Amino acid sequence: MTAGRKRERPVLTTRVAGKTCVMARDDPSTQELRLEQLRRSDDEREAAQRSDSPSAARAHARRAERADYLSEKLAEREVAEREGNG
């Protein structure tokens, strides 16, 4: 950590399927998870538009669809959490 820079949460790093994943030690809220999926969806759609090959564009589009699906499921979870706590 550099001087003057403060992290909001301590993080853990791990490798999953050959990729480095960074996770907060504190569990993120359902809303935070949903927002992350929405960001991923937007990023993947942009990457699909910039892709040089049709196969890369399809892969990015599929990742965007997956992120949309996860976002929808997290929205359902948010509703269930509110109803359970209400």
Side-chain angles (χ1 to χ4, degrees):
M1 190 158 69
T2 60
R5 213 170 149 202
K6 181 181 172 187
R7 285 191 180 167
E8 291 181 20
R9 295 185 181 141
V11 295
L12 298 171
T13 57
T14 186
R15 297 218 21 111
V16 176
K19 296 183 179 180
T20 300
C21 297
V22 179
M23 301 181 307
R25 288 186 193 275
D26 301 329
D27 290 336
S29 70
T30 302
Q31 183 179 19
E32 290 171 318
L33 292 170
R34 184 167 177 244
L35 290 173
E36 176 60 28
Q37 291 305 317
L38 291 171
R39 281 190 288 271
R40 284 183 184 175
S41 175
D42 290 344
D43 291 346
E44 290 297 338
R45 288 191 198 295
E46 289 174 16
Q49 292 175 350
R50 291 189 315 264
S51 293
D52 293 333
S53 71
S55 63
R58 282 191 303 272
H60 287 296
R62 179 66 186 111
R63 288 184 199 114
E65 290 171 6
R66 186 177 330 133
D68 288 339
Y69 171 81
L70 292 172
S71 178
E72 290 173 18
K73 292 300 174 185
L74 287 164
E76 292 172 9
R77 179 175 157 182
E78 278 184 278
V79 169
E81 287 173 352
R82 275 196 304 268
E83 290 174 355
N85 293 333

